[in-house]
């Protein structure tokens, strides 16, 4: 009897319990890792939950990790541990575009299928990238929102995540290109501030913006942590209507501010779906159904069919879909969804 229990325990360790819980499938025994930017970010938690749902429904198991602070160094340590744990795939939400290349190459050389999601790593470090929405469109949409909310002219600022976050940096590049168009010549981007996706730093950066630029009309925060912090500052200081906040936010965190007018409207996509789509990229890569090349097609469970396309950085990507606008008329329908 003892021997049977010991064998069962050993198998559980080797196969992560999948054989017993889910029966045999192509994914049985495979462990898929997901490394987010940092802990304490509800957006990241939703991505990870979608990823876990998708992997589990295919019979695999997950390891979900995130460092305390959004640095590349902390992620490098985590990836090293995951290489030692011999995971089958590794999804990285990069805290830096280039800095993870050596450790991700080491992972690739160890046979791990490496891809990025949300915040990309450079094409040499990944097989493909899971992108939530077209990056250029996000940049253009947020500038148009700031233009509209500022009434066509005046000072605007950006409150971003970390200065190394490749997703925010790409969106900001496209915002700057858009702002260079004649239509926006009366909008003046006075500062790009970095709240590091930390709530307190985002609050203090918002406060400094208000102090340094008393005529500021709009803050664009292309980060769910930043936008919620900035809208709270505007609300607490009685500045609703004077300074407007827009950007990318979670409906659950922003419903209050969309309703009170501090954020007239904002955009996002479904972060649970981003993670879920990632889970099908993981299994597609580990089963060899896809390799990450442009033109390959795969089915992502309940989300349907996707095609791998060329990314603006020269690598490839899988695009979830267009961003969605959240405003007073629909925010109550979404606030309990994500
Ligand atoms: C924050 C993170 C994440 C980004 C969203 C919009 O939660 O920076 O990476 O995609 O905002």
């Amino acid at each position: 009897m003892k021997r049977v229990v010991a064998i069962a325990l050993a198998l559980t360790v080797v196969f992560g319990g999948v054989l017993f819980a889910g029966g045999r499938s192509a994914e049985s025994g495979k462990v898929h890792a997901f490394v987010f930017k940092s802990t304490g970010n509800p957006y990241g938690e939703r991505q990870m939950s979608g990823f876990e749902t998708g992997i589990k429904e295919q019979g695999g198991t997950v390891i979900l990790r995130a460092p305390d602070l959004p640095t590349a160094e902390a992620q490098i340590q985590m990836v090293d541990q995951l290489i030692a744990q011999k995971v089958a795939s590794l999804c990285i939400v990069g805290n830096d575009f280039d800095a993870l290349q050596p450790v991700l190459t080491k992972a690739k050389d160890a046979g791990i299928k490496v891809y990025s999601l949300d915040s990309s790593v450079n094409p040499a470090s990944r097989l493909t990238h899971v992108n939530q929405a077209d990056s250029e469109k996000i940049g253009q949409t947020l500038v148009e929102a700031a233009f509209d909310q500022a009434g066509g002219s005046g000072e605007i600022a950006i409150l971003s995540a970390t200065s190394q976050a490749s997703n925010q940096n790409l969106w900001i590049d496209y915002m700057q290109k858009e702002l260079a168009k004649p239509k926006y010549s009366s909008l003046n981007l006075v500062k790009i501030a970095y709240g590091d996706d930390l709530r307190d730093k985002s609050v203090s950066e918002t406060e400094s913006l208000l102090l340094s630029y008393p005529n500021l009309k709009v803050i664009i925060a292309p980060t769910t942590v930043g936008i919620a912090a900035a809208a709270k500052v505007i609300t607490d200081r009685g500045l609703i209507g004077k300074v407007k906040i827009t950007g990318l936010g979670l409906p659950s965190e922003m419903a209050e501010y969309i309703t009170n007018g501090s954020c007239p409207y904002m955009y996002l996509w479904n972060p649970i779906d981003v993670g879920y789509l990632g889970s099908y990229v993981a299994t597609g890569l580990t089963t060899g159904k896809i390799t990450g090349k442009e033109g390959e097609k795969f089915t992502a469970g309940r989300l349907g069919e996707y095609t791998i396309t060329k990314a603006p950085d020269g690598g490839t990507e899988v695009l979830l879909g267009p961003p969605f606008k959240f405003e007073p008329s629909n925010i109550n329908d979404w606030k309990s969804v994500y």
Side-chain angles (χ1 to χ4, degrees):
M1 182 60 188
K2 262 191 190 155
R3 207 177 128 82
V4 173
V5 172
I7 291 171
L9 277 175
L11 282 172
T12 307
V13 171
V14 174
F15 295 109
V18 171
L19 283 182
F20 309 108
R24 278 185 194 276
S25 77
E27 285 310 307
S28 286
K30 279 194 199 152
V31 180
H32 299 275
F34 187 108
V35 178
F36 187 64
K37 287 177 169 177
S38 59
T39 50
N41 181 341
Y43 180 92
E45 284 154 16
R46 283 161 178 79
Q47 276 186 339
M48 288 194 273
S49 83
F51 180 78
E52 184 168 17
T53 303
I55 292 291
K56 279 191 173 160
E57 77 186 14
Q58 299 173 81
T61 51
V62 297
I63 296 181
L64 308 172
R65 305 289 305 273
D68 290 341
L69 290 175
T71 66
E73 292 69 34
Q75 286 188 322
I76 289 168
Q77 279 186 15
M78 279 183 175
V79 173
D80 254 326
Q81 290 162 3
L82 292 165
I83 295 171
Q85 288 174 266
K86 298 190 184 344
V87 295
S89 77
L90 171 65
C91 178
I92 182 94
V93 183
N95 280 331
D96 194 288
F97 193 59
D98 295 311
L100 288 126
Q101 188 171 338
V103 81
L104 294 177
T105 305
K106 188 174 157 193
K108 190 179 81 186
D109 292 346
I112 299 170
K113 302 297 180 192
V114 177
Y115 62 101
S116 54
L117 176 145
D118 179 2
S119 187
S120 61
V121 292
N122 67 27
S125 310
R126 68 179 206 239
L127 291 167
T128 192
H129 173 65
V130 180
N131 196 355
Q132 42 268 73
D134 181 89
S135 304
E136 183 174 17
K137 182 116 200 326
I138 294 171
Q140 290 172 340
T141 304
L142 295 184
V143 167
E144 177 59 39
F147 178 78
D148 173 37
Q149 294 182 15
S153 66
E155 293 183 352
I156 64 166
I158 294 173
L159 173 68
S160 190
T162 70
S163 61
Q164 300 303 314
S166 59
N167 56 339
Q168 272 89 15
N169 285 349
L170 188 59
W171 299 331
I172 292 171
D173 278 353
Y174 282 122
M175 285 186 221
Q176 287 177 309
K177 283 197 185 110
E178 191 64 9
L179 282 167
K181 294 183 179 166
K183 174 177 177 187
Y184 302 113
S185 60
S186 299
L187 277 189
N188 181 15
L189 174 62
V190 292
K191 170 128 181 151
I192 302 173
Y194 297 94
D196 292 353
D197 268 351
L198 302 172
R199 202 187 125 84
D200 291 352
K201 180 141 195 276
S202 303
V203 165
S204 61
E205 289 294 328
T206 305
E207 280 165 350
S208 316
L209 285 174
L210 297 174
L211 212 63
S212 310
Y213 305 99
N215 297 321
L216 199 61
K217 284 191 170 169
V218 175
I219 298 175
I220 304 175
T223 136
T224 59
V225 178
I227 195 173
K232 183 168 184 343
V233 171
I234 297 306
T235 302
D236 292 350
R237 291 180 162 238
L239 293 173
I240 296 174
K242 181 172 186 304
V243 183
K244 291 172 180 149
I245 308 297
T246 191
L248 305 173
L250 279 173
S252 53
E253 294 188 309
M254 291 298 293
E256 176 186 351
Y257 304 118
I258 289 189
T259 307
N260 78 12
S262 51
C263 171
Y265 58 87
M266 61 164 201
Y267 296 84
L268 201 71
W269 40 81
N270 186 333
I272 302 166
D273 287 351
V274 182
Y276 183 85
L277 176 57
S279 79
Y280 279 84
V281 170
T283 55
L285 291 170
T286 56
T287 55
K289 247 181 255 163
I290 55 172
T291 63
K293 289 211 175 62
E294 187 183 349
E296 291 175 342
K297 291 185 192 308
F298 64 99
T299 303
R302 63 171 166 77
L303 294 177
E305 188 168 281
Y306 284 83
T307 304
I308 299 179
T309 55
K310 200 159 181 56
D313 61 12
T316 67
E317 67 181 14
V318 183
L319 212 58
L320 178 72
F324 187 82
K325 184 177 183 182
F326 296 98
E327 50 196 328
S329 64
N330 63 18
I331 192 66
N332 286 329
D333 301 336
W334 288 99
K335 65 181 184 193
S336 56
V337 185
Y338 55 87

